[in-house]
Amino acid sequence: MINNKMTSLERVFTAIAQKEPDRVPLFLMLTMHGAKELGISIKDYFSKSENVVKGQMILREKYNNDCIYSLFYAPIEVEAWGGEVLFADDGPPNSGEPFIKNIEQIKNLQIPDVENTSCLLKVLNTIEALKKNVGDGIPIIGVVVSPYSVPVMQMGFDKYLELMYFRPKQFNLLMKKNMAFAVSWANAQIKAGATAICFFDPLASPTIIEKEQYKETGFKIAKDTIAKIKGPIATHLASGKAIPILNELVDTGTMVAGISVLDNICRAKKVADKRITLLGNLDGLEMRNWHPGVAEKRVKEAIRQGASGGGFILSDNHGEIPWQVSDDVLLEIAEAVKIWGNYPLDWIEEYE
Amino acid sequence: MKTKRELIAAYKNTLLSVNRVEGLRLLKEIYDIKNNFVEVSEVIRIVLDEIGKEWEEGSVSLSQVYMSGILCEEFINILLPDQEIIKKNKPRIGIGVLLDNHGLGKKIVSSLVKLNGYEVIDLGNGLSVNEMATIAIAKDINVLLISTLMISSALKVKEVIKLLHTKNKDIKVIAGGAPFRLDNNLWKEVGTDANVSNVADIAKVIEEVVRL
């Protein structure tokens, strides 16, 4: 029996309040799949706000998931800074050659003016239109790449690590500029109608940066940035492990933490201890090859491990579903949540 | 006086904490034991092997792996500027990033391969399928190391291999990057010649594939 007593917004915020809603919320983080629905290239799809609005509304109708995702592509921020974006036919747009080629450029970097940057205005127009369409019934999730993680695209991962470890003065200056941008960009999206902001921070994960280094750098940056954003935040580590820094994520002020396939949901729930909601952790890469029946099995297992007591939103583990994942798999995920995700989750006791 | 094992453990800790000053000091201490490069080279191999295993196990971070390689190369250049690492010029090894512009993985692997005495030819970043194959052939590469970031790029390794075969080129291909780390079967799916389960073993894997 499908339990549809709440709106998606009510469902999600009940879960975040660490209570059990009517059903486990499902966030299918779909971006490029809108291009498939419209039968156009990914590049064409993201060229116009109205395409993304149409795509997201079709996806919502098709999968009945509990969020609208207004992310175009992460390197849109690089585009705003004057960098290059490369489009592919079968994957997310990627950042091109880093535009910070030497660290002397950092002092002269101009922080993009959100109100006068066309690629960002496209996103804001999209959020406004989506808000008009859906009102307050479903959360619209905007995205900001954390000031600590975005330099991977701005200057290249290797140069950025060397900056972080060996050039603290220039590192701090870059962080200051990135923080100013991140706050203005996040708040512009909230003003346009985004319900919450997904704060992408892959470098926070100990998969990428060791915990002690993160505590001295990225943690402080995240905490300061999040404090200035005028809306709820979900932090995503884009497939990186989360459990080792879950306590630190709580302390940044974020309300939701994306967890990876590398994180055991039961253990994450224990560490979270009702202080933060978990988002995850279906394997987006593995989804490409799921035969019929596998999606339901994975959904059921994730719900069994994480959904009791609320504080859990089912999603993929990366924050963006790969292009290669078929509609059939996505439909099976959506159906499985309707079968196994209705509270109270009495079947869990029988299952065990 | 520290034992060799204690020195190795201490050196490893300096790398993991990115302590340039102490790392160089310790490596010099190790060099002074026998006054030859062989000892230093062996210690570096042992330490990077351990760090590589710990990365695969998830107990060290990607940044620690990268910075460890960078520091080791730096220390060798400082301590032994005139020392020629005996370069093995066969097989000819090329490395490139397919479609993406993120060169960290390429740098880590290059560093490890060089520290094992091989020359590595940098084919570039953001290479298309055609460019990767064409440049590898033009540079007479025997073993092609392909770095990828996104699953869409990783899947195109198959096309690179196909292109090399259509040009009758027997170039061994090994691919890596996040998609291959996260999906243990991806290497088979795209048809590469080997899987690298520990990045520190890259030189051994290269030696194995050329024997095939």
Side-chain angles (χ1 to χ4, degrees):
Chain A
M1 188 187 80
I2 299 166
N3 198 340
N4 255 345
K5 293 183 198 143
M6 293 180 168
T7 65
S8 290
L9 192 77
E10 288 165 346
R11 187 171 296 129
V12 170
F13 277 103
T14 304
I16 288 175
Q18 306 297 317
K19 293 182 170 54
E20 293 185 351
D22 57 346
R23 189 170 77 235
V24 176
L26 170 64
F27 276 16
L28 285 176
M29 312 301 255
L30 294 162
T31 53
M32 305 160 272
H33 280 70
K36 278 191 199 180
E37 295 299 332
L38 300 190
I40 58 179
S41 73
I42 292 171
K43 186 174 182 181
D44 285 344
Y45 177 67
F46 288 123
S47 67
K48 289 184 188 162
S49 164
E50 45 267 41
N51 291 340
V52 178
V53 174
K54 199 171 175 185
Q56 282 292 322
M57 294 309 298
I58 292 172
L59 292 168
R60 155 70 179 165
E61 183 67 32
K62 189 166 179 174
Y63 300 112
N64 197 25
N65 88 107
D66 289 307
C67 74
I68 301 266
Y69 202 29
S70 59
L71 171 68
F72 276 43
Y73 40 89
I76 207 162
E77 297 191 17
V78 164
E79 204 175 328
W81 284 92
E84 189 189 16
V85 176
L86 303 172
F87 289 88
D89 292 330
D90 56 358
N94 204 351
S95 57
E97 266 205 52
F99 61 88
I100 298 178
K101 303 217 188 278
N102 72 69
I103 65 170
E104 298 313 311
Q105 285 175 251
I106 293 173
K107 62 180 183 292
N108 297 324
L109 274 182
Q110 297 294 313
I111 301 166
D113 175 3
V114 171
E115 301 296 326
N116 285 301
T117 304
S118 58
C119 59
L120 302 182
L121 286 172
K122 209 171 21 173
V123 179
L124 296 178
N125 291 341
T126 302
I127 294 172
E128 280 170 6
L130 286 167
K131 186 72 178 178
K132 278 196 184 96
N133 280 333
V134 304
D136 291 329
I138 176 164
I140 297 172
I141 312 295
V143 171
V144 153
V145 182
S146 96
Y148 186 60
S149 293
V150 74
V152 172
M153 295 190 283
Q154 290 172 317
M155 60 189 303
F157 209 154
D158 49 344
K159 295 275 179 296
Y160 177 46
L161 287 179
E162 291 167 34
L163 184 88
M164 187 193 299
Y165 284 101
F166 298 142
R167 306 295 290 266
K169 188 174 155 197
Q170 288 85 354
F171 169 75
N172 289 333
L173 180 56
L174 183 58
M175 289 303 107
K176 197 172 163 191
K177 295 193 180 202
N178 283 348
M179 282 164 74
F181 172 71
V183 169
S184 76
W185 178 220
N187 285 336
Q189 292 179 75
I190 288 171
K191 192 174 169 195
T195 315
I197 296 295
C198 182
F199 188 74
F200 260 108
D201 204 2
L203 263 66
S205 171
T207 302
I208 308 294
I209 299 276
E210 71 274 23
K211 184 172 171 173
E212 288 313 307
Q213 179 71 7
Y214 168 67
K215 280 164 72 170
E216 283 305 308
T217 53
F219 164 71
K220 294 174 184 174
I221 290 156
K223 191 169 179 180
D224 285 350
T225 307
I226 286 170
K228 298 182 173 95
I229 296 174
K230 297 173 186 171
I233 305 292
T235 299
H236 213 296
L237 308 185
S239 301
K241 272 185 304 200
I243 289 176
I245 56 153
L246 216 40
N247 291 325
E248 282 74 20
L249 292 182
V250 171
D251 290 343
T252 63
T254 197
M255 297 172 79
V256 177
I259 58 172
S260 158
V261 293
L262 303 170
D263 295 304
N264 174 275
I265 301 178
C266 295
R267 173 113 185 86
K269 206 80 197 287
K270 208 168 171 184
V271 174
D273 194 23
K274 296 192 169 293
R275 298 170 298 153
I276 193 167
T277 293
L278 304 179
L279 174 76
N281 68 346
L282 299 175
D283 190 334
L285 283 186
E286 200 192 60
M287 267 184 213
R288 301 177 298 119
N289 297 320
W290 282 355
H291 300 301
V294 175
E296 184 177 352
K297 206 168 147 184
R298 295 280 190 270
V299 165
K300 190 177 173 184
E301 184 55 20
I303 289 173
R304 185 191 73 78
Q305 290 189 36
S308 295
F312 182 73
I313 299 169
L314 184 68
S315 188
D316 76 287
N317 80 322
H318 191 74
E320 185 175 45
I321 304 263
W323 171 265
Q324 292 78 10
V325 176
S326 71
D327 292 3
D328 288 341
V329 165
L330 296 172
L331 282 165
E332 193 177 325
I333 292 170
E335 283 310 303
V337 174
K338 289 175 193 162
I339 296 167
W340 300 106
N342 297 311
Y343 287 100
L345 301 168
D346 296 334
W347 60 267
I348 289 180
E349 280 178 10
E350 294 161 21
Y351 190 81
E352 283 162 351
Chain B
M1 180 153 164
K2 288 197 178 88
T3 64
K4 184 171 169 182
R5 187 63 234 168
E6 283 169 341
L7 279 171
I8 288 172
Y11 179 61
K12 186 171 115 182
N13 282 336
T14 66
L15 293 183
L16 293 178
S17 56
V18 195
N19 188 333
R20 227 176 194 168
V21 169
E22 185 61 11
L24 184 58
R25 189 195 69 74
L26 273 169
L27 206 60
K28 184 152 191 339
E29 196 175 325
I30 292 166
Y31 174 72
D32 288 341
I33 294 172
K34 285 192 182 165
N35 245 359
N36 72 46
F37 176 73
V38 172
E39 194 71 20
V40 165
S41 166
E42 194 205 334
V43 165
I44 286 174
R45 254 193 293 277
I46 290 169
V47 165
L48 290 181
D49 183 62
E50 285 182 16
I51 290 174
K53 283 197 174 81
E54 287 169 24
W55 156 244
E56 300 300 337
E57 287 161 10
S59 57
V60 310
S61 68
L62 183 62
S63 63
Q64 286 171 306
V65 175
Y66 174 68
M67 296 308 294
S68 299
I70 290 293
L71 289 177
C72 287
E73 274 193 88
E74 187 181 301
F75 297 158
I76 287 173
N77 288 336
I78 292 170
L79 279 180
L80 304 157
D82 300 322
Q83 173 71 44
E84 282 287 315
I85 298 175
I86 296 168
K87 292 257 166 52
K88 305 170 205 172
N89 57 12
K90 281 279 179 193
R92 277 175 70 79
I93 301 167
I95 187 167
V97 184
L98 185 59
L99 298 172
D100 304 311
N101 278 278
H102 297 270
L104 187 75
K106 184 183 83 171
K107 277 206 163 184
I108 289 172
V109 170
S110 293
S111 201
L112 289 167
V113 174
K114 280 186 218 168
L115 285 166
N116 275 276
Y118 290 100
E119 292 202 57
V120 182
I121 300 161
D122 185 352
L123 307 183
N125 297 348
L127 301 171
S128 67
V129 166
N130 197 48
E131 283 168 342
M132 182 72 79
T134 306
I135 297 171
I137 293 170
K139 294 204 181 274
D140 201 24
I141 298 300
N142 305 126
V143 179
L144 176 58
L145 308 178
I146 303 179
S147 178
T148 63
L149 178 69
M150 323 268 258
I151 182 63
S152 46
S153 316
L155 290 170
K156 290 198 167 61
V157 170
K158 199 172 185 173
E159 292 176 32
V160 175
I161 294 170
K162 196 175 165 185
L163 199 50
L164 292 172
H165 286 164
T166 59
K167 292 180 191 286
N168 290 320
K169 287 295 170 183
D170 182 24
I171 297 176
K172 303 295 182 190
V173 177
I174 302 169
F180 291 93
R181 276 203 81 233
L182 294 170
D183 183 346
N184 290 332
N185 293 314
L186 189 57
W187 72 281
K188 283 185 211 163
E189 191 180 332
V190 301
T192 59
D193 290 288
N195 183 38
V196 184
S197 52
N198 177 357
V199 67
D201 287 338
I202 183 65
K204 271 189 226 155
V205 175
I206 289 170
E207 286 157 8
E208 278 163 16
V209 299
V210 295
R211 279 198 285 270
L212 290 173

